Amino acid sequence: MTALDLAGPVAVVGTGTMGQGIAQVALVAGHPVHLYDAVPGRASAAAEAIGARLDRLVEKGRLTGAERDAARARLRPAAGIADLADSGLVVEAVLERLDVKQQLMRELEDVVPSDCLLATNTSSLSVTAIGGALREPGRFLGLHFFNPAPLLPLVEVVSGFATDVTSATRAYELARAWGKTPVACADTPGFIVNRIARPFYAEAFAVHEAQAADPATIDAVLRESGGFRMGAFELTDLIGQDVNESVTRSVWEAFFQDVRFTPSLAQRRLVESGRHGRKSGHGWYDYGDGAERPEPHTAEKAQAPAYVVVEGDLGPAAELVALIREAGIQVREDEEDHGTRLVLPSGGQLALADGQTAVEFRDVVYFDLALDYRGATRIALSHSQDTQTQTLAEATGLFQALGKDVSVIGDVPGMIVARTVARIVDLAHDAVAKGVATEEDIDTAMRLGVNYPLGPFEWSRRLGRSWAYDVLDDLHMRDPSGRYAPSLALYRHAYASEKREGTP
Ligand SMILES: NC(=O)c1ccc[n+]([C@@H]2O[C@H](COP(=O)([O-])OP(=O)(O)OC[C@H]3O[C@@H](n4cnc5c(N)ncnc54)[C@H](O)[C@@H]3O)[C@@H](O)[C@H]2O)c1
């Protein structure tokens, strides 16, 4: 299958943020590029802006002066749709409204050649619905770029119900020829990234709404323990609370208000009050002159225990045993396998977050999941009023002796990282089962689209076959709203290999 010939002109319709970025990508790849915008003067202004960005690429040594001049000469602002008649591909990045996109596609279909690919950069509308306006929807598909398009490598190549395989393959190969990393996905709400990423925001907001921790502490735990590049509060302040919430709401609405995607009330209040994040000077945090970022909660120094007793297999936290030894703390192994926990000299227990709460046990401290316990610089702990002060002090001292800051949070099941990762893993399994994309493409999309340290399937393999299911099963028991109900796909993944005796 051939990608579009480089001589084939690419048209970009709608020359705002995304249109300019996509046009730059096609231009630098070598295509002649038509720019068209409904507002007179915008296409020319966009050509100027793209030209200025090419100048900066020359200054940075990424483009030669000659390449820049040739690219500029290939860039053509168009006066009307009729000027796009020789295009081999049209990508629209106009207003996010179904009627506007459908009307545009009808007009384009009358103008472009019959083998011209038609693509939408929509984030939240159905590709199938937009394509419904076309006489021949087989050549229509989604090419979902991420902002800023020239820098971010991921492109979701979305096939609507009517998209033919040849068109999807041509678009996929073209994105690859442009130096992008395409992933193939079906036309479902949020495609891959915006669907599977929802719990990253939702769980952080839920922990905050449960009064278990403040935004700065949750962000610090997600970064320093979870290995995420940014925490959910600082990231949504950067994206814009209005923009992030509107994606959440559109996915939730598109799934007929599926409780797994319920938006956050606290975020709604931010949006309603105009606290949209960095761009408005306030969001979860303040950004005015002299505003200081609040510090995460960090526990006072505590005495490390002289020894710990390891009972059973610590599963995803097994690496801790070696780290404790390296810190000079004696590790006693209990021959009898009572469970998966550490017992402290106080007699209290230290257990990995599993979807239960500390208050259900006599004397327990939970610690949160870390991407990698050696690299983590912070660990969250939770306890209940029944936990001895000494047990909490020993747990705190233990992690501090391993070089970690400790954040003590409220007694919420699944803590912060564990519940977030369990839900992301679940949505990823569910998406594969529903034919949205392959495991490999989902991992690629989440690493490149939202910078996750691991793809959900890589993470799941590391955590063990039934880990995410077991955490969600416990969470679901404690919050039976359905929000945490593990999918059938995750259940099958966790337990399908354990064939039961007898008849069904
Ligand atoms: N901004 C993002 O982060 C992002 C990321 C991925 C996808 N998207 C999607 O890309 C599309 C564009 O988003 P944006 O942020 O670039 O918007 P934008 O507001 O910056 O630009 C939209 C442009 O389209 C023009 N326009 C509107 N209706 C038109 C029409 N009928 N014909 C021609 N031009 C028209 C407007 O004049 C404007 O210049 C949307 O579908 C959006 O969902 C946005």
Side-chain angles (χ1 to χ4, degrees):
M1 192 59 50
T2 53
L4 186 68
D5 192 322
L6 281 185
V10 171
V12 175
V13 181
T15 59
T17 311
M18 293 309 293
Q20 289 183 26
I22 296 164
Q24 185 182 326
V25 171
L27 194 63
V28 170
H31 295 272
V33 174
H34 298 303
L35 290 175
Y36 173 68
D37 198 284
V39 177
R42 279 212 184 152
S44 306
E48 285 303 311
I50 294 166
R53 268 181 236 124
L54 296 180
D55 289 342
R56 282 203 290 283
L57 291 181
V58 174
E59 283 161 23
K60 288 182 190 162
R62 304 226 193 102
L63 215 59
T64 66
E67 284 167 336
R68 184 248 341 257
D69 295 343
R72 270 181 180 251
R74 290 195 301 272
L75 189 56
R76 296 159 202 168
I81 295 265
D83 292 352
L84 315 181
D86 62 350
S87 303
L89 164 70
V90 183
V91 185
E92 73 76 17
V94 306
L95 200 62
E96 187 74 338
R97 257 184 39 201
L98 181 61
D99 58 338
V100 172
K101 289 187 192 281
Q102 284 185 327
Q103 177 57 31
L104 173 66
M105 285 302 148
R106 276 188 210 104
E107 289 172 29
L108 283 167
E109 191 172 37
D110 288 337
V111 169
V112 297
S114 59
D115 61 349
C116 172
L117 287 175
L118 294 172
T120 173
N121 185 48
T122 184
S123 297
S124 59
L125 298 172
S126 152
V127 170
T128 307
I130 301 170
L134 293 169
R135 288 188 300 276
E136 289 173 27
R139 55 158 146 172
F140 178 71
L141 71 153
L143 272 181
H144 188 224
F145 287 81
F146 290 73
N147 186 22
L151 294 183
L152 295 185
L154 186 68
V155 180
E156 292 174 327
V157 181
V158 186
S159 289
F161 283 12
T163 306
D164 60 41
V165 177
T166 318
S167 302
T169 310
R170 279 180 69 203
Y172 185 96
E173 293 302 335
L174 186 62
R176 210 181 354 223
W178 290 358
K180 294 294 175 191
T181 305
V183 290
C185 73
D187 180 27
T188 61
F191 309 135
I192 299 175
V193 173
N194 281 339
R195 169 182 179 139
I196 295 173
R198 294 322 334 132
F200 176 73
Y201 313 105
E203 292 312 307
F205 299 162
V207 170
H208 176 49
E209 286 176 89
Q211 310 290 306
D214 56 277
T217 302
I218 298 169
D219 276 353
V221 171
L222 286 169
R223 267 188 274 108
E224 299 180 42
S225 191
F228 292 98
R229 187 78 58 88
M230 291 177 88
F233 296 88
E234 54 197 355
L235 179 56
T236 51
D237 267 358
L238 183 66
I239 294 168
Q241 298 305 332
D242 51 338
V243 173
N244 179 263
E245 200 223 18
S246 103
V247 175
T248 301
R249 287 172 76 93
S250 86
V251 171
W252 173 64
E253 293 285 2
F255 277 117
F256 308 110
Q257 306 191 347
D258 184 331
V259 69
R260 293 176 305 162
F261 298 102
T262 303
S264 147
L265 197 54
Q267 189 180 36
R268 180 89 289 262
R269 294 286 174 266
L270 281 188
V271 175
E272 283 170 343
S273 62
R275 296 172 78 94
H276 291 174
R278 278 174 191 251
K279 62 187 174 188
S280 70
H282 301 278
W284 295 108
Y285 301 112
D286 285 339
Y287 299 91
D289 284 343
E292 281 181 27
R293 177 67 66 90
E295 291 292 323
H297 168 91
T298 302
E300 297 287 322
K301 192 102 192 77
Q303 178 83 39
Y307 68 91
V308 294
V309 182
V310 179
E311 291 193 346
D313 172 9
L314 292 182
E319 191 184 7
L320 273 179
V321 177
L323 296 178
I324 294 169
R325 282 207 178 92
E326 286 169 29
I329 296 169
Q330 193 193 353
V331 175
R332 301 179 188 166
E333 313 245 3
D334 189 337
E335 294 300 311
E336 288 179 42
D337 189 347
H338 294 295
T340 55
R341 63 202 167 181
L342 297 165
V343 180
L344 296 163
S346 69
Q349 306 169 57
L350 185 55
L352 174 63
D354 59 2
Q356 303 184 88
T357 52
V359 74
E360 297 165 55
F361 300 92
R362 193 179 51 77
D363 185 14
V364 73
V365 171
Y366 272 113
F367 64 95
D368 205 353
L369 181 71
L371 171 67
D372 127 51
Y373 284 94
R374 188 175 289 278
T377 53
R378 180 177 298 273
I379 296 289
L381 301 181
S382 66
H383 64 103
S384 78
Q385 66 273 21
D386 301 324
T387 307
Q388 292 185 69
T389 314
Q390 184 60 18
T391 302
L392 180 61
E394 289 177 358
T396 304
L398 177 68
F399 281 105
Q400 288 172 338
L402 309 187
K404 324 289 181 203
D405 281 330
V406 168
S407 291
V408 179
I409 68 163
D411 184 21
V412 281
M415 300 188 70
I416 297 171
V417 181
R419 58 158 70 195
T420 302
V421 173
R423 287 207 58 210
I424 289 168
V425 167
D426 179 55
L427 288 189
H429 277 274
D430 186 48
V432 170
K434 306 255 166 75
V436 176
T438 63
E439 291 189 5
E440 198 185 358
D441 275 358
I442 288 175
D443 276 354
T444 301
M446 302 315 285
R447 273 195 277 97
L448 298 184
V450 268
N451 273 319
Y452 286 2
L454 290 174
F457 292 96
E458 294 171 289
W459 223 327
S460 178
R461 280 192 286 277
R462 224 194 235 207
L463 292 167
R465 184 166 267 276
S466 68
W467 182 84
Y469 179 87
D470 293 342
V471 169
L472 291 177
D473 198 32
D474 278 341
L475 275 159
H476 178 53
M477 203 179 293
R478 284 152 189 81
D479 173 358
S481 63
R483 177 188 178 102
Y484 298 99
S487 64
L488 177 61
L490 189 66
Y491 175 71
R492 285 194 167 128
H493 170 75
Y495 291 110
S497 57
E498 294 179 10
K499 305 286 182 218
R500 276 175 283 146
E501 295 301 323
T503 50

